Amino acid sequence: MDKIHSHRQVAAIKHSLFDQGYLDEQFIQLEELQDDANPNFVEEIVTLYYRDSSRLISNLDHTLERNPLDFNKLDTLMHQFKGSSSSIGAKRVKAECTLFREYCRARNGEGCRRSFQQMKKEYATLRKKLETYFQLARQAGPLETAYRPK
Amino acid sequence: MNLGNGKGSTSSSPLKTGDAVSDQFPAGLRVLVVDDDPTCLMILERMLRACLYEVTKCKRAEVALSLLRENKNGFDIVLSDVHMPDMDGFKLLEHIGLEMDLPVIMMSADDGKSVVMKGVTHGACDYLIKPVRIEALKNIWQHVIRKRKNGLKDVEQSGSVEEGDRLLKGCDDGDYSSSVNENKTSKKRRDEEEEGDERDDSSTLKKPRVVWSVELHQQFMAAVNQLGIDKAVPKKILELMNVPGLTRENVASHLQKYRLYLRRLSGVSQQQGNLNNSFISSQDATFGATSITGIDLQTLSVAGQLPAQSLAKLQAAGLGRTTAKAGVSMPLSDQQNLFSFENPRLRFAERSLHHLSNSKPINLLHGIPTNMEPKQLINLHQSTQTLGNLNMRVNAPAAQNNPLLMQMAQSQPRAQMRSENADSHVTRFPSSLVQPIVPNDISNGVLGNGITGTSNITTAYNTVSQNSSLLSFPMNQTNEMSVSSFPRRSTPSLTSIPTKGMFHEEGTSDIKGPGGFVPSYDMFNELHHQKSHDWDLTNTGITYDSSQHANPLQGNIDVSPSVLVHQGFPSMQQSVRTRDTTSIGKAMFSTGEGIQGNLQNVGQHLNNPVDNSVRVKAERFPDPSSQINNLFSDQYGHEDLVTAFLKQQEGVGPSDNELDFDGYSLDNIPV
């Protein structure tokens, strides 16, 4: 019962993440790649994403501190970051990236900074939610096995 | 699924056996995936494994290239990201297409039409938008089969012309993503017909893949030049090359790629031209003149073998001061087409020119007879186009190429490249290179900063041309110019190299390929950079402070320098992108520099070398490699030149930064 309950809980969390627009179809693609041979694939990918993208974010931070702003560079950096974020299905983060790039094209420094701050918020929120999700999913264990390993 | 003859081999790599596909196919397809983003890379790898492919992943383009080179037949298909820090995805694409003839699929989060179009013109067999779904990956095997099938057709056809024609017509389309297909197809058919007998005795379906090494490509280029682009048919090329084991089919497919490359170059130049027109008019004449011409020249040079020769000529011509500033503007508009390519490469040229012209106003191309007019330039372009896969799209004018180039080669050799400014200069200059290539204006512009159109440009140009020639045929000589495949390859890199003033920054070695300004850089690359730098200046309308560079070129910016430069560029560009440029590049550079320096001060030194190169070119027009050899030889005291260049470059550096060009080595060329 506990197990079933845990699974339901995990499912509910996932469901809400999709409903609230934090995640999109790409996340499902990743989940489909997960199997017995790659049981924690999605979590590994998300972990890798957060680790690698932190570098991009700090680059963006530095570039935003410059004066005058190098919009081309900002746009290039953000393009990379956006590509990365879209590959894990981070929908809201991706939307903020798009907005940021529009501000870059419009050479609107203030807009860039604002949307960057907003993006970072979404990025952090998603991280927390996913961490919770993965933790519960691991605890719930694979649905198929009768016993949980350990 | 069992495709092909159903040989039913059950090897894990069915494609290894050539056309024979095992029952497992497409399982076991050997995929190489290149992407700098680790998250994407990991996802792709997982997806490809889920498709039962054999996956090798790679973070950097250079590593991927060396992997491919080491295992000639180790992969069936390549997936590459477009935006990568160390090498542009398109550049990688071209390298692979020319060297290994593998199908390449591009990927990017960017779904803009221009980027996708770029993929098409560079020969990608598909373009996927990120995030990539596994469904899209499940079908990539079709590109492998298609390519093989086309290759087979070659083999089968060797026996029968008619059949070959039919097959050719049918299968060619799949092989090329550009609109050049039709042309290729018809050409191929013609070739087939001319063949008659086939040299290829292999009747096996599997065609061992020929690796077009640098030497092999040089031989190919030499043969093509000798025959003339229009008359270069696989059979004759094969005979001239006289390489045991090489089949007519191998040559035919390589020739097709080469043509595609040139076509792409001309297409680019066309676009560029349009852009330039507007650009130029807005700029100061000096600027525009130089830049445009320079660009055109570049395009031309990039486009084909001839460029090298032309470059040399132009250089020679441009050594002296060009007084034809006025003339320049005119050609500029024509050139605009050339210039307008979107490739930043042009920028490099400008930039380099800029640098070059820093010093005295030596109008390299100044003296170039303005007779050359754009038409000539065009010819140049054309020749160049055929020569390589220049990204630049030479415009229409390039139709003539060979004839012009030939003319150039013959006419000139005057190497009077002097730095004097005067009319004599103009007359002197006529170096065949200059003339045919571009109206004087252009040449000046190209070499020099394009902005001032003065000696700088020419000087640079000369240097560049020299280098170009060298570079164009890197295979021949140099020390290890690892420019494998077409010399032209460099060209593409030229254009594609982001014009960020790489060379300019020598220290930073922005240059993607070469890691650094000179050392393993191909001179051309460097030159190229410089050139593009200059080009960029004009194109972008940056007010180039001619005073900074003391470009005497102001008025002279002749096209010729650019032409020269361009010519050399094709190879240069490639080299820039690929780190394998070698000392040649360096040597070239130094030569260029030396020349430049001389020009400035003496103008004699260059003349001689240039002369020689020019002369050589004239005489041996069709044999670029020999020219390169000449260039390399120390007749000019390259070392001195190089140092001079390098020095100049440093000086130029600061100003270049403004330009934000790709660091083409040209910048380094001190003027």
Side-chain angles (χ1 to χ4, degrees), chain B residues 8 126 132 139 199 201 319 334 374 453 470 479 482 493 520 573 665:
Chain B
D126 205 350
V132 179
N139 289 326
R199 281 205 163 230
D201 55 8
L319 281 183
D334 294 3
L470 284 177
N479 332 304
S482 36
S493 42
S520 54
Q573 285 194 342
S665 47

Side-chain angles (χ1 to χ4, degrees), chain A residues 3 7 39-40 137-150:
Chain A
K3 192 157 181 193
H7 278 290
N40 302 308
R138 254 184 283 125
Q139 284 171 7
L143 271 165
E144 311 74 56
T145 62
Y147 302 138
R148 242 185 298 155
K150 160 178 325 195

Side-chain angles (χ1 to χ4, degrees), chain A residues 3 8-9 16 19 27 29 31 37 54-55 58 61 63 65-66 78 83 107 109 117 122 124 131 135 138 145 149:
Chain A
K3 192 157 181 193
R8 281 212 191 116
Q9 209 178 4
S16 86
D19 279 349
F27 192 83
Q29 285 265 312
E31 288 199 314
S54 65
R55 174 183 53 90
S58 80
D61 257 322
T63 313
E65 278 163 17
R66 291 212 209 128
M78 188 47 87
R107 300 305 196 245
Q117 292 311 314
E122 296 290 352
E131 273 170 8
Q135 202 174 3
R138 254 184 283 125
T145 62

Side-chain angles (χ1 to χ4, degrees), chain B residues 47-302:
Chain B
M47 283 181 172
L48 290 164
R49 291 238 155 91
C51 296
L52 303 179
Y53 298 152
E54 260 182 42
V55 188
T56 306
K57 60 180 183 187
C58 209
K59 273 198 165 89
R60 294 180 48 227
E62 285 167 7
V63 174
L65 259 184
S66 59
L67 267 178
L68 287 164
R69 284 177 181 143
E70 281 160 28
N71 311 301
K72 299 295 182 210
N73 290 312
F75 299 98
D76 298 311
I77 190 166
V78 180
L79 259 68
S80 171
D81 187 31
V82 167
H83 301 285
M84 291 188 286
D86 63 331
M87 185 192 290
D88 181 46
F90 293 117
K91 192 143 272 10
L92 175 66
L93 164 60
E94 291 199 4
H95 273 292
I96 296 176
L98 284 170
E99 294 178 38
M100 294 116 201
D101 191 22
L102 281 175
V104 182
I105 295 178
M106 302 303 293
M107 305 178 289
S108 179
D110 198 348
D111 61 351
K113 183 178 159 206
S114 62
V115 187
V116 180
M117 177 61 85
K118 219 173 158 189
V120 171
T121 58
H122 283 67
C125 54
D126 205 350
Y127 190 104
L128 303 176
I129 307 291
K130 285 183 175 178
V132 179
R133 296 172 63 95
I134 194 170
E135 291 81 26
L137 298 175
K138 285 205 167 116
N139 289 326
I140 62 174
W141 57 265
Q142 62 175 295
H143 302 292
V144 180
I145 293 296
R146 193 176 288 119
K147 231 177 174 109
R148 293 211 174 226
K149 187 165 167 267
N150 291 343
L152 265 188
K153 297 282 188 196
D154 279 350
V155 177
E156 290 170 355
Q157 281 162 15
S158 50
S160 126
V161 171
E162 306 75 36
E163 187 190 350
D165 289 349
R166 272 204 321 274
L167 288 173
L168 267 178
K169 194 159 182 47
C171 68
D172 258 347
D173 295 326
D175 211 16
Y176 304 89
S177 41
S178 87
S179 57
V180 176
N181 284 352
E182 311 76 58
N183 298 331
K184 283 207 212 107
T185 305
S186 52
K187 172 66 169 135
K188 203 161 193 186
R189 232 175 302 136
R190 269 204 319 272
D191 290 346
E192 291 291 356
E193 289 166 357
E194 293 171 16
E195 261 315 271
D197 51 315
E198 69 247 58
R199 281 205 163 230
D200 183 17
D201 55 8
S202 70
S203 48
T204 62
L205 286 182
K206 170 185 161 123
K207 225 180 20 157
R209 180 166 294 152
V210 170
V211 173
W212 283 85
S213 66
V214 166
E215 294 78 26
L216 204 56
H217 184 70
Q218 280 177 343
Q219 285 177 281
F220 170 83
M221 293 300 312
V224 169
N225 285 334
Q226 197 171 323
L227 294 167
I229 267 298
D230 294 334
K231 289 196 160 33
V233 292
K235 185 175 180 185
K236 297 208 182 97
I237 295 173
L238 187 61
E239 283 165 13
L240 279 175
M241 283 175 71
N242 195 24
V243 170
L246 193 67
T247 68
R248 196 201 65 79
E249 286 72 25
N250 297 139
V251 174
S253 72
H254 195 66
L255 181 66
Q256 271 180 325
K257 286 203 214 94
Y258 186 59
R259 290 219 175 91
L260 169 59
Y261 183 70
L262 292 179
R263 239 177 273 267
R264 186 162 57 231
L265 279 174
S266 73
V268 171
S269 54
Q270 279 189 355
Q271 292 175 15
Q272 296 292 347
N274 298 332
L275 291 176
N276 288 340
N277 283 319
S278 47
F279 189 80
I280 295 197
S281 44
S282 56
Q283 290 183 5
D284 164 79
T286 43
F287 266 106
T290 43
S291 50
I292 296 202
T293 46
I295 295 177
D296 288 335
L297 285 177
Q298 281 187 343
T299 318
L300 288 178
S301 51
V302 172

Side-chain angles (χ1 to χ4, degrees), chain B residues 293 317 322-331 334-335 365-377 425-431 434-444 555-560:
Chain B
T293 46
T322 50
T323 49
K325 184 105 198 214
V328 174
S329 359
M330 214 197 14
D334 294 3
Q335 305 308 333
L365 295 183
H366 202 56
I368 296 178
T370 37
N371 307 337
M372 287 211 298
E373 296 348 310
K375 300 189 220 107
Q376 297 181 337
L377 242 191
H425 206 44
V426 177
T427 36
R428 263 191 307 214
F429 239 38
S431 40
V434 177
Q435 291 181 349
I437 301 177
V438 176
N440 293 337
D441 309 328
I442 297 183
S443 40
N444 281 336
N556 307 321
I557 303 206
D558 292 344
V559 178
S560 34

Side-chain angles (χ1 to χ4, degrees), chain B residues 556-570:
Chain B
N556 307 321
I557 303 206
D558 292 344
V559 178
S560 34
S562 44
V563 173
L564 285 176
V565 171
H566 274 287
Q567 293 188 336
F569 282 142

Side-chain angles (χ1 to χ4, degrees), chain A residues 6-100:
Chain A
S6 306
H7 278 290
R8 281 212 191 116
Q9 209 178 4
V10 169
I13 291 182
K14 188 162 85 169
H15 201 67
S16 86
L17 283 173
F18 276 94
D19 279 349
Q20 291 168 28
Y22 284 101
L23 295 175
D24 63 22
E25 166 67 21
Q26 186 63 16
F27 192 83
I28 295 179
Q29 285 265 312
L30 296 185
E31 288 199 314
E32 283 174 358
L33 290 172
Q34 195 158 280
D35 57 14
D36 289 344
N38 304 273
N40 302 308
F41 179 70
V42 189
E43 186 176 0
E44 284 164 15
I45 290 286
V46 171
T47 306
L48 179 56
Y49 162 74
Y50 273 99
R51 190 166 62 225
D52 183 61
S53 59
S54 65
R55 174 183 53 90
L56 281 170
I57 289 187
S58 80
N59 272 355
L60 278 161
D61 257 322
H62 291 147
T63 313
L64 276 169
E65 278 163 17
R66 291 212 209 128
N67 201 2
L69 286 179
D70 183 347
F71 289 106
N72 288 338
K73 181 162 184 201
L74 286 171
D75 191 60
T76 304
L77 285 171
M78 188 47 87
H79 173 83
Q80 279 180 272
F81 180 76
K82 182 182 167 189
S84 217
S85 306
S86 70
S87 73
I88 67 155
K91 194 170 175 184
R92 285 201 191 181
V93 173
K94 184 177 166 184
E96 277 309 319
C97 294
T98 305
L99 195 57
F100 181 94

